[in-house]
Amino acid sequence: MHVKGTAAQIGWWTAVGALFLLPFVPLLVTNSLYFPFITGKAFAFRILVEIALAGWAVLAFADKRYRPRFSWLGALFAVFVLWMFLADCFAINPEKALWSNFERMEGWITLVHLLGLFVVASSVLSAKDLWRRLWLTSLGVSVIVCLHGVLQLLGVAAIHQGSGRLDASLGNATYLAVYLLFHICIAAWLLRGEIERRSWLRYALPLLILFETYILFKTETRGAVLGVVIGAAVAGLLAALLSGGKTRRYGAGAVIAVLVLCGGFFLVRDSSFVTNNSALARIASISIDQGSTRFALWHMAYEGFLVHPVLGWGQEGYNYVFSEFYRPSLYDQEAWFDRAHNSFVDWLVAGGLPAFLLYISLFIAAFWLLLRRPEFTIAEKVGLSSLLVAYGVHSMFVFDNLISSLLFVLVIAYIHGKSARPVPYLERLPEVADESASTMVLPVAAVLLLAVLWFVNVPGIRAGSQLIEAITPSAQGPAGQLASFRDLLTHPAFASQEINEQLVSFSVSAISSESTGQEDKAAIASFAIAKMGELVERLPLDPRLRLEYALAYRVAGDSQNALKQDEAAEALSPRKQGIYIEEGNTLWEAGDMAGAKEAYEKAYALDPSFSDLAVYAAVGSVITGDSVAADAILQDAFGTTSVANEKLILAYYRFQDWPRLIRSLAQNVIDQNGAANAWFRLAAGYVNARDLSSARKAVQEGIAAHPEAAAQGRDLLLQIDAMAAQGQ
């Protein structure tokens, strides 16, 4: 690409080089940073966009062809980003809204980088062959990602989520699925052009589509699969409407094929072929009932929207909505949701109705430009429209992530870049001469770039690395880890909540360890309490932080202050059972059995359908001496009083209810399929009940079933015999 002057050429190559490195970001996994699948990608993305912006700025000063152009799509995106800045500034936690955290790495800082990417890509990649090369580069990288998925299928590489759902280098099956959704649609869109060019890619792209569709299928992500299917139907429909001749017939055939495929799958959804395949079974499970959790999250989001309909709660603000409008029916789901699992609803919560409408308008404007402007070929109209539909369908069931946002912005940047018109004011501005660009614009851009790189990225990268160091056992023991936390929290640059939560987790393990000295325990407890106190003082409306603060007090032995924080959390989220359970645990440890029972019963009363909550209610009766009432609760919830639950077993043990303890331990043997340790625990129960004969039989049963545990069993038998000899 010909550009004017040395400075402009440097700017052009800098911008293009950074843009062409972006497709490789999904491959990054940085184990040296906290949340290795998220943080490394996000920092790399930000750095590359900042470099691209610096190069583009130099180029735009020197050559008017690369200055911003206008389309309503671009204008709406800019307004959306500006509105979210306002919403984030007025959020309950503006720091987190603007900067996000390690787990998500989103916030307004990522949003404004996406706008920067939009501006640079639409300006610099205006030449058609550059866009084509970028898409092909991204498709090439997607092959590497899919090969990683194949290694996971073969068992050579680990699946990071611990299930059978492939996640490759994205670390999350849903993230991998939407990544593949984009590339399947991009490959299908480019195929028409490659056929016309008669290049070798006309053979490779269909194979790539099949390959990536298979890997997508193995992610078992229902929203993405549904998106691809509906996108294919839309592509066929548009091809039939916009084309003629064979293409129209092919499009109509594609629609019919999709309908037949979906209808056939619906008819065999209950067959063994489907139910015995985990991926097919997950897809077949799509139903209103299966979506109950998401519907609850969406309804809570709507309730939160009614409270803040204009500015919303800010990005990363859904956790406040989740706490305030929590539904007890969600008890067996994740403890804390920070997203509504619907990208459109998430923006409704984050930025109110204006953000919701602006986000939807990006899709509408993109569709309008594609279908109405003559600059786009039929292949582009069909391919890009179906991609946007597929992505939109997927986004209705999950929240967005950096990689999918990056790809979405590149797609709308392509649409904007091809349809935008020059801005007269910017066109009239004189181009900077090469000498001035080299001596003034280029150095200023370089200095600003270094400043932005340093202040925007370095503190977060350092914090992510130091946090890994702090949570890793130190050669100096707990004192060494405490020193790392002190250093990290002296100048907290980023994600203070996550750092403090990890500090509390460290304090629990260190104080509970017998190897930690009393002086170190006192220092760790004092520091954890002090730092959590500072955070809670700054963010008093977050019940999750209140519970962390309570835990810090509890592990330090200060039940009184722990209870104050439990009660504060209850006031903020009065329908969340987990908070009452934590209060009950604290009261039990403090010796207030009646108070613990009351707390457990409050949790149970919120939704008696959960058997786990019934166990807590039964525990409350046991520790207050009413085992008959406990039996009634268990009978009602489980249909039996023989329940093997660790909390219940502990209650029976502490209050020396040996018959019920033995009953639970005997059930545990059944639940554990006769595991050796289960038999030996039952033997210990008999020992506590002074039934040494039954204890001996339980050990012998364990040895007979598990000869490999014979040595441990013989040691237990010797101990039992010694007790019998002593007349115990």
Side-chain angles (χ1 to χ4, degrees):
M1 176 62 63
H2 176 70
V3 291
K4 306 173 183 178
T6 302
Q9 289 181 3
I10 292 173
W12 190 84
W13 282 109
T14 299
V16 170
L19 289 174
F20 272 80
L21 286 174
L22 282 172
F24 293 90
V25 167
L27 300 177
L28 287 177
V29 179
T30 49
N31 291 312
S32 60
L33 297 177
Y34 194 59
F35 278 101
F37 292 98
I38 305 295
T39 48
K41 292 179 177 65
F43 284 123
F45 162 75
R46 294 177 187 178
I47 289 169
L48 288 172
V49 169
E50 289 156 12
I51 292 171
L53 276 167
W56 166 79
V58 174
L59 185 60
F61 272 104
D63 193 330
K64 65 175 63 178
R65 291 178 298 170
Y66 296 95
R67 292 172 183 173
R69 297 160 69 87
F70 177 84
S71 78
W72 282 109
L73 176 58
L76 288 167
F77 190 24
V79 173
F80 173 65
V81 175
L82 289 173
W83 179 262
M84 284 313 306
F85 177 71
L86 181 64
D88 289 342
C89 287
F90 284 93
I92 295 176
N93 186 351
E95 177 187 344
K96 190 176 181 182
L98 293 167
W99 290 94
S100 190
N101 59 5
F102 286 119
E103 183 179 6
R104 300 302 181 197
M105 290 296 289
E106 293 178 2
W108 191 79
I109 188 66
T110 292
L111 197 57
V112 75
H113 278 75
L114 289 169
L115 178 59
L117 171 63
F118 179 90
V119 172
V120 176
S122 61
S123 301
V124 176
L125 302 179
S126 56
K128 184 178 179 181
D129 61 336
L130 278 184
W131 274 110
R132 174 176 173 270
R133 291 174 187 176
L134 182 71
W135 299 129
L136 291 177
T137 300
S138 194
L139 286 171
V141 174
S142 73
V143 173
I144 301 174
V145 173
C146 286
L147 290 175
H148 188 167
V150 171
L151 293 178
Q152 290 181 325
L153 274 176
L154 296 175
V156 177
I159 296 176
H160 309 99
Q161 289 183 306
S163 67
R165 300 176 62 193
L166 304 186
D167 54 17
S169 57
L170 281 299
N172 183 298
T174 303
Y175 294 175
L176 174 59
V178 68
Y179 174 80
L180 295 175
L181 178 152
F182 270 97
H183 287 88
I184 290 167
C185 293
I186 290 169
W189 157 45
L190 293 180
L191 179 59
R192 177 62 180 270
E194 299 309 316
I195 292 174
E196 292 176 353
R197 287 187 177 87
R198 303 186 64 79
S199 73
W200 63 274
L201 289 171
R202 70 185 189 274
Y203 304 112
L205 289 178
L207 295 176
L208 179 61
I209 292 169
L210 292 174
F211 179 37
E212 297 199 341
T213 300
Y214 175 72
I215 299 298
L216 169 62
F217 176 75
K218 298 302 289 185
T219 67
E220 301 180 15
T221 304
R222 291 167 290 192
V225 171
L226 192 62
V228 168
V229 171
I230 294 177
V234 169
L237 180 62
L238 288 175
L241 293 175
L242 300 176
S243 306
K246 291 183 178 180
T247 303
R248 173 171 293 179
R249 292 195 295 273
Y250 291 153
V255 174
I256 294 171
V258 170
L259 293 175
V260 170
L261 178 65
C262 293
F265 183 76
F266 178 80
L267 292 174
V268 302
R269 68 190 186 281
D270 296 323
S271 67
S272 59
F273 174 74
V274 173
T275 56
N276 292 333
N277 183 294
S278 60
L280 289 174
R282 274 184 60 84
I283 297 170
S285 69
I286 296 175
S287 66
I288 298 297
D289 291 338
Q290 285 291 319
S292 59
T293 297
R294 279 177 168 76
F295 296 150
L297 294 174
W298 299 350
H299 192 272
M300 290 158 58
Y302 175 70
E303 292 179 293
F305 157 71
L306 293 178
V307 176
H308 295 295
V310 179
L311 287 174
W313 299 71
Q315 288 175 265
E316 307 295 346
Y318 183 78
N319 62 304
Y320 292 102
V321 174
F322 178 77
S323 299
E324 184 171 342
F325 301 101
Y326 181 82
R327 292 189 166 194
S329 61
L330 295 173
Y331 173 72
D332 61 349
Q333 301 297 317
E334 294 178 30
W336 303 100
F337 278 91
D338 64 350
R339 296 290 189 276
H341 284 253
N342 180 314
S343 294
F344 302 97
V345 174
D346 278 325
W347 287 118
L348 180 68
V349 171
L353 185 61
F356 176 74
L357 295 176
L358 284 167
Y359 185 65
I360 291 178
S361 73
L362 298 181
F363 288 84
I364 295 173
F367 284 129
W368 178 264
L369 291 173
L370 282 170
L371 298 177
R372 301 292 295 180
R373 294 297 293 268
E375 292 91 344
F376 296 100
T377 65
I378 291 177
E380 290 171 325
K381 294 175 187 290
V382 172
L384 293 176
S385 294
S386 61
L387 188 159
L388 292 171
V389 168
Y391 177 57
V393 170
H394 168 84
S395 298
M396 290 179 64
F397 300 99
V398 295
F399 53 85
D400 226 334
N401 71 88
L402 172 64
I403 302 304
S404 58
S405 297
L406 185 160
L407 292 167
F408 173 62
V409 167
L410 284 175
V411 169
I412 62 174
Y414 176 82
I415 297 170
H416 164 79
K418 193 163 184 179
S419 59
R421 60 179 184 270
V423 178
Y425 174 76
L426 295 178
E427 289 290 302
R428 289 194 297 268
L429 292 177
E431 296 176 341
V432 177
D434 183 48
E435 182 178 352
S436 297
S438 298
T439 57
M440 295 179 60
V441 178
L442 191 60
V444 170
V447 171
L448 289 175
L449 172 61
L450 291 174
V452 170
L453 290 173
W454 180 266
F455 290 107
V456 172
N457 303 292
V458 171
I461 294 173
R462 184 187 294 123
S465 177
Q466 288 180 322
L467 182 54
I468 290 292
E469 179 184 341
I471 63 178
T472 303
S474 168
Q476 289 77 40
Q481 287 182 259
L482 177 60
S484 296
F485 272 110
R486 286 187 187 278
D487 182 55
L488 179 56
L489 288 169
T490 300
H491 305 289
F494 179 63
S496 57
Q497 178 173 339
E498 286 170 308
I499 295 171
N500 277 280
E501 287 176 346
Q502 288 301 313
L503 170 62
V504 172
S505 179
F506 159 66
S507 72
V508 171
S509 61
I511 294 172
S512 302
S513 174
E514 295 180 359
S515 62
T516 307
Q518 291 302 316
E519 186 177 342
D520 286 338
K521 287 183 179 181
I524 292 168
S526 175
F527 185 68
I529 289 171
K531 288 302 176 183
M532 280 305 304
E534 293 173 6
L535 189 60
V536 167
E537 184 177 0
R538 196 166 78 245
L539 301 168
L541 301 180
D542 191 333
R544 177 172 177 172
L545 291 182
R546 294 281 185 175
L547 288 183
E548 290 288 336
Y549 197 14
L551 179 58
Y553 273 123
R554 198 168 86 201
V555 75
D558 189 346
S559 298
Q560 184 176 357
N561 278 312
L563 284 171
K564 289 180 180 178
Q565 296 306 317
D566 286 333
E567 291 166 359
E570 289 168 13
L572 293 168
S573 187
R575 295 188 294 175
K576 188 168 177 59
Q577 300 99 318
I579 298 176
Y580 294 102
I581 290 171
E582 288 302 315
E583 181 191 13
N585 292 341
T586 303
L587 288 165
W588 184 0
E589 291 180 11
D592 185 353
M593 304 307 166
K597 177 185 179 182
E598 182 181 357
Y600 291 148
E601 287 179 342
K602 285 180 181 178
Y604 183 46
L606 285 167
D607 192 335
S609 65
F610 292 105
S611 59
D612 187 48
L613 294 176
V615 168
Y616 279 102
V619 166
S621 294
V622 171
I623 63 178
T624 52
D626 192 355
S627 292
V628 174
D631 285 347
I633 294 171
L634 295 175
Q635 184 68 41
D636 184 56
F638 294 92
T640 178
T641 57
S642 300
V643 177
N645 177 278
E646 292 302 320
K647 197 75 175 179
L648 194 60
I649 290 171
L650 177 62
Y652 289 145
Y653 173 77
R654 286 191 178 179
F655 290 84
Q656 301 182 7
D657 190 338
W658 307 129
R660 288 179 173 81
L661 173 65
I662 290 170
R663 186 176 66 194
S664 289
L665 291 174
Q667 182 62 40
N668 185 55
V669 172
I670 297 172
D671 293 349
Q672 298 296 321
N673 297 316
N677 283 338
W679 280 110
F680 297 158
R681 286 188 72 189
L682 176 59
Y686 280 120
V687 168
N688 284 308
R690 299 297 186 266
D691 186 351
L692 300 184
S693 175
S694 295
R696 185 178 292 104
K697 289 179 181 178
V699 174
Q700 290 169 345
E701 289 278 4
I703 294 173
H706 299 278
E708 71 279 4
Q712 181 183 358
R714 284 193 294 269
D715 288 341
L716 292 174
L717 289 173
L718 289 174
Q719 294 175 33
I720 293 170
D721 290 341
M723 293 176 68
Q726 295 173 9
Q728 296 184 12

